[in-house]
Amino acid sequence: VERWAVDVLFSQKAKENVVSTDEIDRMVENYRRSLIQNLYQDRLITQQLLPTITDAEVRGFYDRELALFELSEPYVKGFYVKLPPKAKTRDVRNCFLHREQENLEELERLCTENGYEYQFFMEEWMPFADLAHKTPLTEQQLMERLLRKSVIEFTEEKSTYFICADSILKRNDTKPIEMVSGEIKELLINSKKAKFIKQVKRSLYEEALKAGRVILY
């Protein structure tokens, strides 16, 4: 409250001592115009330029620049369940070992109804460190186990852990294209943006000339 009051008082004192506000008005108007232009430019890029980035362009860039997409840390796809002490493991184990869709749905129901900690990440890559932090194992210990067997069950500190690693990407592996397609599209957009905006402005100018809204003397 004190900071707010000081700010208001100081603003009032500034207004009393800065008689001419023409320069401020010009600065505000320039900033307003720039802000509107930037918002419109972003909308143009999203609506007109982004849809022109094809999957073939993304794939081509990916294939040419594989060195850009080296992983600095491992990633994993799969799912994880943690059961508290004395929890019944049989039903969870049955669902866990048979990974058809109906079994996964049943596993999710069991976890939800019993308050078990769980996470499904079959469709997206999770940093391996995030998965390891959910367990009492180190990253190296967990990685060694999952490389030997993709589905593991173990008990540590009275809790039982079920972990499935459908896919593992190790450090220095190349990121799969689905992980970096958004990043590639952003790079391609940035490379085309200046030319695209220049073309839009030129077209706008030529249309205005033709319509008589801009007259050259």
Side-chain angles (χ1 to χ4, degrees):
V1 171
E2 181 180 326
R3 284 196 300 270
W4 173 82
V6 169
D7 183 62
V8 171
L9 292 168
F10 191 71
S11 294
Q12 290 174 346
K13 179 60 69 174
K15 288 178 182 178
E16 293 170 4
N17 288 273
V18 178
V19 178
S20 175
T21 60
D22 291 346
E23 183 178 356
I24 294 174
D25 290 341
R26 284 194 298 271
M27 292 171 63
V28 169
E29 180 57 29
N30 287 338
Y31 176 72
R32 181 176 182 275
R33 184 166 59 248
S34 176
L35 182 61
I36 291 172
Q37 288 179 0
N38 288 336
L39 289 172
Y40 178 60
Q41 177 175 299
D42 290 344
R43 184 177 299 176
L44 281 175
I45 290 168
T46 300
Q47 293 177 346
Q48 297 185 31
L49 181 57
L50 180 58
T52 67
I53 305 297
T54 65
D55 292 341
E57 282 185 283
V58 172
R59 168 58 70 176
F61 186 94
Y62 177 80
D63 292 338
R64 290 192 306 271
E65 306 291 348
L66 285 176
L68 294 176
F69 306 117
E70 188 175 285
L71 281 168
S72 59
E73 61 175 322
Y75 280 76
V76 61
K77 279 184 178 180
F79 51 94
Y80 149 94
V81 177
K82 176 184 176 182
L83 302 187
K86 298 182 180 179
K88 294 180 180 180
T89 60
R90 185 180 63 182
D91 291 341
V92 171
R93 185 182 295 114
N94 288 338
C95 294
F96 199 78
L97 294 176
H98 303 89
R99 294 184 302 234
E100 287 77 15
Q101 183 61 34
E102 58 269 22
N103 297 113
L104 293 178
E105 291 173 358
E106 177 64 14
L107 177 60
E108 185 171 19
R109 185 190 66 79
L110 286 170
C111 292
T112 302
E113 289 183 355
N114 293 283
Y116 300 153
E117 182 181 332
Y118 75 100
Q119 187 172 358
F120 290 0
F121 46 98
M122 289 87 74
E123 303 299 327
E124 59 185 31
W125 292 101
M126 173 190 282
F128 196 86
D130 291 355
L131 176 60
H133 289 159
K134 296 177 179 294
T135 78
L137 302 180
T138 65
E139 284 187 54
Q140 183 176 350
Q141 290 171 332
L142 183 59
M143 179 67 79
E144 288 173 352
R145 294 192 187 192
L146 288 172
L147 288 177
R148 287 197 300 267
K149 191 176 181 182
S150 62
V151 179
I152 61 174
E153 174 189 344
F154 62 93
T155 300
E156 293 279 350
E157 300 174 359
K158 298 183 179 180
S159 295
T160 301
Y161 297 83
F162 295 87
I163 298 176
C164 169
D166 280 339
S167 303
I168 293 178
L169 293 171
K170 291 180 283 187
R171 185 180 287 108
N172 299 325
D173 282 351
T174 300
K175 298 176 184 177
I177 191 169
E178 70 268 18
M179 185 185 286
V180 295
S181 61
E183 179 183 344
I184 292 173
K185 285 182 179 179
E186 191 68 28
L187 290 169
L188 291 172
I189 286 173
N190 286 335
S191 70
K192 296 182 177 184
K193 183 164 60 176
K195 183 179 179 181
F196 171 73
I197 294 300
K198 184 178 180 180
Q199 288 174 340
V200 169
K201 289 180 177 179
R202 187 67 193 177
S203 176
L204 183 65
Y205 176 72
E206 290 175 354
E207 288 176 4
L209 276 176
K210 187 176 180 180
R213 291 187 289 115
V214 171
I215 300 173
L216 299 179
Y217 293 95

